[in-house]
């Protein structure tokens, strides 16, 4: 722990720390460097909200809306403290400013077990990191961090604005501010009442101090079900995604990118487009540090024209250096790395290796997971107009500041001359943390100065040029006593480092000496109280581009570890849920969640046969990620072709204080469905240095007919809000795999889950030195 603290103190300092600076509080997050744009008559009271003369309230969101409901949650937090009329609230995107840097996501990335959160060294590192990120961090929507990141500042922004409005009303009425009260956008000052809109210009000049936040017991909005603030617009099809942008005289671009890893353009038939109607330019695309893939683009009057012209070019590529690489080769390298038993130990307690070496009985197994694509419903696209004045972007991004910096670098202009028109995201899941598609679109638009050019990727482009969830392997071993109870657990996993790679591409200050926590999260950070445990991870270099994918390391390590815990329960001849409870004696929060899901699923009672008469079984999993504890029970059967049919998922969730219960339940459902897609179908295969899947026919998402009933219980909590966009995903695959073991006696240790027709395998308990 001391070594990690030292390394992470370096992260907090970034080479410029001095004692005086380290002791001062972080700078304020209320007021941006320049006034926000909120409409022609909105008066900003801080960087998070503006009030209009007619009483409307504009909430300014630095977080991208990609279906997770953050605009609704943020508006609820501000409206709660502002005490305005909810019907008058709307949300707009903010500009780029340091006050919006995402502090919570970076703090969550520090590799400390939650049990150490009160340790003095850990608190010091978190303090220094928060101060640093406020200054040199990144605006980012990701890591299930949005509500956590705005929780304090959004409430403070609303409360401060309310205090300013009260001060203005008190001055106008000639009474003390303490004699005023507010209600639904009106200040009652003595015998007089003033609507917020009539006070706002005076309020903007009021300085207030010692603002008091509302007691949670008095909340009127927070904690109550609220429909999405953009729900009606979505039902009407009104939101304009970046793919919907239409500008006068706009042209379109299609791209042909290198089909194999490391390939480059060797030539194309430019003459084939001579005198071709509607075609305006051919642009050769180099690679770049943003992860752009070499290729060729065509600009035309319409996208289909551009696509057809691209085919006529017959673009040829020099083969890359990785033509021999296939999925089997990657799996072998990762498996060998995991079995090497080396790597950085993220957690080591109780002499786990020595206990394992001395054991008479050992459970020794290997788990594996493939690469996964993000497969957002809206493929990558950006509209760009390059003029003498600068660069305008119309795009959807999770990192607006990084997108602007990439555009500035490609166009050779100062970043102040880049204007971003942020659009809602048609899916993100980490893919739009990247800026390759933005840099590429700017490069293309530079060939048509003064004209807006919309670059659109096809589904095949999107699938074959992703930054994938890393493939991974993990060797898990346990020393078992005479009763089959684990006395030591050792995990050695191997994969590429996705967050480190992403940081290098988007310019996040992430020192190479700091471990990438996302590689091993989901093992060392779980609440189980094993007598001895060691969790280590080896970062492996491979040519496949990787990045953040929903739940990141938890998405596969959760499957590995929770399936292994189930194996330990089986070795101890103990009910899997009771076994977990025995390992959580000092973790009341996790116990409460597990007991809740046991109650809601009627764990232990017999399951009736499925509608077709097939036998059903249950499996359970528990996982702690992004500050949130989720337990899930899966109920499933096999059809006549031995395909998995999941009938019901029962979830219990402790995500701290809940801002919008309706939104949380929706996120649990979305995460569960996304996780079930990956568990049953998700697999990006490599063949001859190429990504094989091209469309949804060979990378299928979950079909509506496959979607189970999802039951969610939110466990009451007074803790600060924690993440919810991702935590429901890691428990899905292990809950399903554990149910399949209960049903078939076959333990599946590789994703996606495919039930073999062979008879069940024997229990993999061995003597030391052997592997099963």
């Amino acid at each position: 722990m001391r070594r990690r603290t030292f390394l992470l103190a370096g992260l907090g300092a970034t080479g410029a720390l001095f004692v005086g600076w380290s002791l001062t509080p972080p700078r304020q997050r209320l007021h941006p460097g320049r006034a926000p744009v909120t409409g022609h008559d909105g008066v900003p009271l801080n960087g998070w909200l503006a009030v209009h003369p007619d009483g409307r309230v504009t909430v300014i969101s630095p977080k991208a809306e990609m279906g997770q409901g953050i605009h609704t949650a943020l508006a609820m937090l501000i409206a709660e403290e502002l005490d305005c009329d909810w019907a008058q609230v709307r949300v707009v995107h903010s500009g780029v400013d340091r006050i919006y840097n995402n502090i919570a996501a970076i703090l969550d990335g520090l590799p400390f077990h939650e049990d150490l959160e009160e340790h003095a060294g850990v608190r010091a590192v978190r303090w220094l990191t928060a101060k640093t990120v406020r200054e040199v961090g990144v605006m980012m929507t990701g890591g299930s961090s949005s509500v956590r990141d705005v929780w304090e500042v959004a409430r403070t922004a609303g409360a401060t604005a309310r205090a300013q409005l009260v001060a203005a009303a008190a001055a106008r009425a000639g009474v003390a501010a303490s004699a005023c009260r507010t209600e639904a956008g009106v200040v009652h000052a003595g015998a007089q009442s003033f609507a917020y809109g009539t006070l706002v210009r005076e309020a903007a000049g009021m300085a207030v101090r010692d603002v008091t936040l509302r007691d949670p017991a008095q909340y009127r909005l927070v904690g109550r079900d609220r429909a999405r603030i953009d729900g009606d617009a979505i039902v009407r099809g009104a939101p304009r995604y970046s793919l919907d942008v239409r500008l006068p005289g706009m042209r379109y671009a299609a791209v042909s990118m290198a089909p194999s890893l490391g390939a480059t353009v060797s030539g194309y038939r430019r003459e084939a487009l001579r005198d071709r109607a509607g075609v305006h330019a051919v642009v050769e695309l180099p690679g770049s540090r943003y992860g752009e893939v070499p290729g060729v683009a065509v600009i035309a009057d319409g996208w289909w024209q551009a696509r057809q012209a691209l085919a006529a070019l017959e673009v040829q590529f020099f083969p890359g250096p990785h033509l021999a690489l296939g999925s089997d080769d990657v799996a072998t390298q990762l498996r060998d790395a995991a079995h090497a038993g080396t790597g950085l130990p993220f957690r080591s307690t109780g002499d786990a290796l020595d206990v394992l070496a001395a054991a008479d009985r050992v459970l020794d197994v290997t788990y594996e997971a493939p690469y996964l694509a993000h497969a957002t419903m809206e493929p990558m696209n950006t509209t760009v107009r390059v003029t003498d004045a600068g660069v305008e972007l119309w795009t959807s991004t999770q990192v607006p500041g990084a997108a602007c910096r990439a555009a500035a670098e490609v166009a050779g202009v100062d970043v102040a001359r880049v204007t971003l028109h942020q659009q809602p995201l048609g899916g993100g899941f980490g893919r739009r943390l990247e800026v390759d598609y933005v840099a590429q679109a700017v490069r293309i638009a530079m060939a048509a100065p003064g004209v807006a050019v919309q670059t659109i990727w096809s589904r095949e482009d999107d699938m074959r040029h992703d930054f994938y969830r890393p493939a991974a392997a993990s060797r898990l071993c346990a020393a078992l006593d005479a009763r089959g109870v684990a006395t030591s657990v050792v995990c050695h996993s191997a994969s590429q480092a996705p967050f480190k790679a992403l940081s290098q591409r988007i310019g996040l200050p992430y020192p190479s000496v700091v471990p990438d926590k996302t590689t091993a999260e989901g093992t060392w950070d779980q609440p189980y109280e094993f007598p001895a445990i060691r969790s280590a991870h080896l970062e492996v270099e491979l040519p496949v581009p990787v990045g953040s994918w929903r739940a990141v390391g938890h998405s596969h390590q959760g499957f590995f570890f929770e399936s292994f815990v189930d194996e330990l329960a089986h070795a101890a001849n103990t009910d899997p849920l009771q076994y977990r409870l025995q390992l959580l004696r000092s973790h009341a929060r996790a116990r409460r969640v597990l007991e809740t899901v046991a109650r809601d699923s009627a764990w232990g009672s017999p399951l009736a046969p499925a509608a077709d008469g097939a036998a059903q079984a249950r499996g359970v999993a528990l996982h702690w990620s992004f500050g949130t504890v989720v337990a899930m029970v899966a109920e499933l059967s096999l059809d006549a072709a031995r395909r998995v049919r999941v009938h019901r998922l029962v979830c219990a969730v402790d995500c701290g204080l809940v801002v919008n219960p309706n939104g949380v339940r929706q996120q649990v459902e979305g995460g569960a469905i996304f996780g079930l897609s990956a568990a049953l179908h998700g697999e990006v295969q490599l063949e001859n240095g190429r990504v094989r899947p091209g469309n949804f026919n060979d990378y299928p998402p979950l079909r509506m007919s496959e979607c189970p009933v999802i039951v969610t219980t939110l466990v009451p909590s007074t803790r600060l809000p924690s993440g919810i966009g991702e935590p429901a995903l890691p428990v899905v695959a292990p809950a399903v795999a554990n149910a399949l073991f209960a049903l078939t006696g076959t333990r599946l240790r590789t994703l996606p889950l495919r039930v073999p027709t062979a008879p069940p395998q024997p229990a993999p308990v061995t003597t030391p030195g052997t592997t099963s």
Side-chain angles (χ1 to χ4, degrees):
M1 211 289 294
R2 286 194 299 272
R3 176 171 176 267
R4 275 205 301 274
T5 302
F6 171 75
L7 290 174
L8 289 159
L11 172 64
T14 61
L17 176 64
F18 57 93
V19 173
W21 179 83
S22 70
L23 296 176
T24 59
R27 283 206 297 157
Q28 59 84 23
R29 296 183 71 193
L30 274 188
H31 301 288
R34 51 185 178 180
V37 177
T38 59
H40 70 281
D41 60 353
V43 180
L45 295 180
N46 51 61
W48 298 83
L49 70 96
V51 176
H52 299 255
D54 61 2
R56 287 177 296 125
V57 174
T58 294
V59 169
I60 302 162
S61 175
K63 307 298 181 184
E65 180 59 74
M66 49 187 170
Q68 81 279 35
I70 182 55
H71 284 187
T72 305
L74 174 60
M76 289 174 69
L77 291 174
I78 288 176
E80 182 71 74
E81 297 290 350
L82 182 61
D83 199 8
C84 62
D85 180 359
W86 176 255
Q88 293 279 74
V89 177
R90 67 173 188 136
V91 182
V92 299
H93 286 106
S94 74
V96 177
D97 195 276
R98 288 179 182 177
I99 69 164
Y100 304 127
N101 285 351
N102 190 325
I103 295 174
I106 305 303
L107 292 182
D108 187 63
L110 299 177
F112 296 125
H113 195 283
E114 193 150 338
D115 287 353
L116 295 173
E117 61 182 10
E118 294 304 315
H119 187 284
V122 172
R123 292 173 65 185
V125 172
R126 291 175 64 86
W127 170 266
L128 294 175
T129 302
K131 284 173 57 64
T132 303
V133 171
R134 163 60 176 84
E135 305 303 326
V136 296
V138 63
M139 277 183 67
M140 176 174 66
T141 307
S144 296
S145 63
S146 290
V147 170
R148 285 180 293 158
D149 192 51
V150 303
W151 167 252
E152 189 72 30
V153 66
R155 292 183 303 135
T156 303
T160 302
R162 176 182 171 275
Q164 289 175 279
L165 291 160
V166 166
R172 189 183 290 187
V175 300
S178 59
C180 301
R181 64 181 180 87
T182 61
E183 184 179 8
V186 176
V187 181
H188 301 284
Q192 302 183 61
S193 296
F194 305 99
Y196 283 1
T198 65
L199 297 167
V200 65
R201 298 197 184 280
E202 298 160 62
M206 293 288 179
V208 295
R209 295 181 179 180
D210 303 323
V211 171
T212 301
L213 300 180
R214 178 169 284 177
D215 187 320
Q218 299 176 339
Y219 283 163
R220 302 172 187 174
L221 287 173
V222 172
R224 301 171 187 261
D225 282 338
R226 180 66 54 179
R228 281 186 52 155
I229 200 166
D230 53 355
D232 289 344
I234 290 172
V235 170
R236 292 184 282 104
R240 306 285 291 180
Y241 296 89
S242 60
L243 203 58
D244 298 321
V245 169
R246 297 292 181 268
L247 299 170
M250 190 172 80
R251 295 172 185 167
Y252 298 82
V255 293
S256 174
M257 291 180 279
S260 61
L261 298 169
T264 55
V265 176
S266 63
Y268 47 91
R269 297 177 58 245
R270 184 183 288 268
E271 66 277 6
L273 302 187
R274 190 176 296 121
D275 301 325
R276 192 177 182 108
V279 174
H280 297 279
V282 176
V283 185
E284 189 163 339
L285 305 170
S288 81
R289 72 177 185 88
Y290 298 110
E292 289 178 75
V293 177
V296 175
V298 170
I299 301 174
D301 289 335
W303 187 79
W304 187 244
Q305 281 177 300
R307 194 74 183 172
Q308 294 298 97
L310 203 58
L313 279 180
E314 298 180 7
V315 182
Q316 301 296 312
F317 295 89
F318 290 116
H322 308 293
L323 288 181
L325 187 68
S327 292
D328 290 344
D329 305 302
V330 170
T332 298
Q333 289 186 56
L334 294 175
R335 201 179 305 123
D336 289 346
H339 279 252
T342 58
L344 176 74
F346 282 79
R347 188 181 185 191
S348 185
T349 62
D351 297 321
L353 290 174
D354 292 341
V355 175
L356 184 69
D360 292 328
R361 299 179 66 203
V362 172
L363 179 65
D364 184 347
V365 294
T366 301
Y367 281 81
E368 298 178 65
Y371 290 107
L372 290 180
H374 294 85
T376 60
M377 287 294 103
E378 180 189 16
M380 299 301 103
N381 68 93
T382 296
T383 302
V384 182
R385 180 161 53 206
V386 179
T387 66
D388 292 340
V391 179
E392 273 189 285
L393 305 174
W394 290 262
T395 194
S396 52
T397 175
Q398 293 175 246
V399 281
C404 289
R405 289 193 298 273
E409 181 179 309
V410 171
V413 301
D414 188 273
V415 70
R417 294 172 58 196
V418 176
T419 302
L420 171 64
H421 305 279
Q422 170 76 296
Q423 309 296 311
L425 280 63
F429 317 121
R431 178 59 181 94
R432 286 181 163 92
L433 287 171
E434 307 287 348
V435 295
D436 58 311
Y437 61 100
V438 175
Q440 182 194 75
V442 173
R443 203 177 304 278
I444 292 168
M446 290 172 66
V451 177
V453 179
Q454 186 176 86
T455 299
I456 303 173
W457 288 16
S458 69
R459 174 58 57 196
E460 289 76 10
D461 294 333
D462 186 86
M463 199 77 77
R464 291 173 178 153
H465 299 288
D466 202 347
F467 295 92
Y468 304 97
R469 197 279 303 275
S474 182
R475 184 183 186 184
L476 298 111
C477 304
L480 306 178
D481 66 15
R483 296 171 299 145
V485 175
T487 56
S488 170
V489 170
V490 175
C491 315
H492 283 130
S493 57
S495 73
Q496 294 163 263
F499 190 72
K500 196 172 287 188
L502 166 67
S503 299
Q504 292 168 355
R505 288 190 294 265
I506 68 172
L508 188 66
Y510 194 95
S512 60
V513 296
V514 176
D516 185 344
K517 189 205 77 164
T518 65
T519 57
E521 59 189 4
T523 55
W524 62 271
D525 50 3
Q526 297 307 293
Y528 294 122
E529 299 150 16
F530 292 107
I533 185 170
R534 174 185 168 87
S535 176
H537 185 87
L538 181 63
E539 294 182 9
V540 178
E541 293 291 334
L542 287 164
V544 182
V546 296
S548 289
W549 188 91
R550 193 173 187 174
V552 207
H554 292 285
S555 68
H556 49 274
Q557 294 282 12
F559 164 66
F560 301 162
F561 198 65
E562 271 300 290
S563 297
F564 187 64
V565 171
D566 227 60
E567 296 204 53
L568 294 177
H570 181 70
N573 196 28
T574 304
D575 174 84
L577 194 143
Q578 291 302 319
Y579 184 83
R580 288 170 169 82
L581 286 173
Q582 293 169 15
L583 291 170
L584 296 169
R585 290 186 178 91
S586 300
H587 288 83
R589 186 182 180 207
R591 281 184 64 89
R592 197 160 47 244
V593 171
L594 199 54
E595 289 165 348
T596 301
V597 85
R599 180 201 68 201
D600 292 351
S601 65
W603 183 268
S605 65
L607 272 170
D612 61 359
Q616 290 197 77
R618 292 186 183 97
V620 65
L622 173 81
H623 199 76
W624 194 326
S625 63
F626 306 98
T628 292
V629 186
V630 179
M632 179 178 287
V633 170
E635 299 173 359
L636 55 76
S637 66
L638 296 178
D639 66 14
R642 294 182 68 78
R643 290 186 297 256
V644 180
R645 296 172 53 207
V646 180
H647 301 285
R648 191 166 76 131
L649 297 175
V650 183
C651 311
V653 179
D654 181 346
C655 59
L657 191 151
V658 176
V659 175
N660 183 6
N662 184 53
V664 170
R665 287 190 292 268
Q666 290 174 351
Q667 282 304 288
V668 171
E669 292 166 3
I673 292 169
F674 203 83
L676 194 54
S677 287
L680 299 182
H681 307 306
E683 185 177 20
V684 167
Q685 294 184 326
L686 298 173
E687 189 174 346
N688 300 324
R690 298 184 178 211
V691 172
R692 202 161 72 189
N695 212 311
F696 288 126
N697 61 312
D698 46 16
Y699 191 86
L702 200 72
R703 306 294 178 180
M704 290 185 70
S705 60
E706 299 175 286
C707 189
V709 173
I710 301 173
V711 179
T712 303
T713 296
L714 306 182
V715 179
S717 176
T718 57
R719 293 172 62 97
L720 295 180
S722 50
I724 197 59
E726 295 162 282
L729 188 150
V731 290
V732 178
V736 171
N738 295 339
L740 285 171
F741 176 76
L743 183 67
T744 68
T746 299
R747 178 65 65 181
L748 302 180
R749 301 191 186 96
T750 301
L751 292 174
L753 299 169
R754 297 189 177 110
V755 179
T757 56
Q761 62 203 55
V765 177
T766 68
T767 56
T770 64
T771 304
S772 63

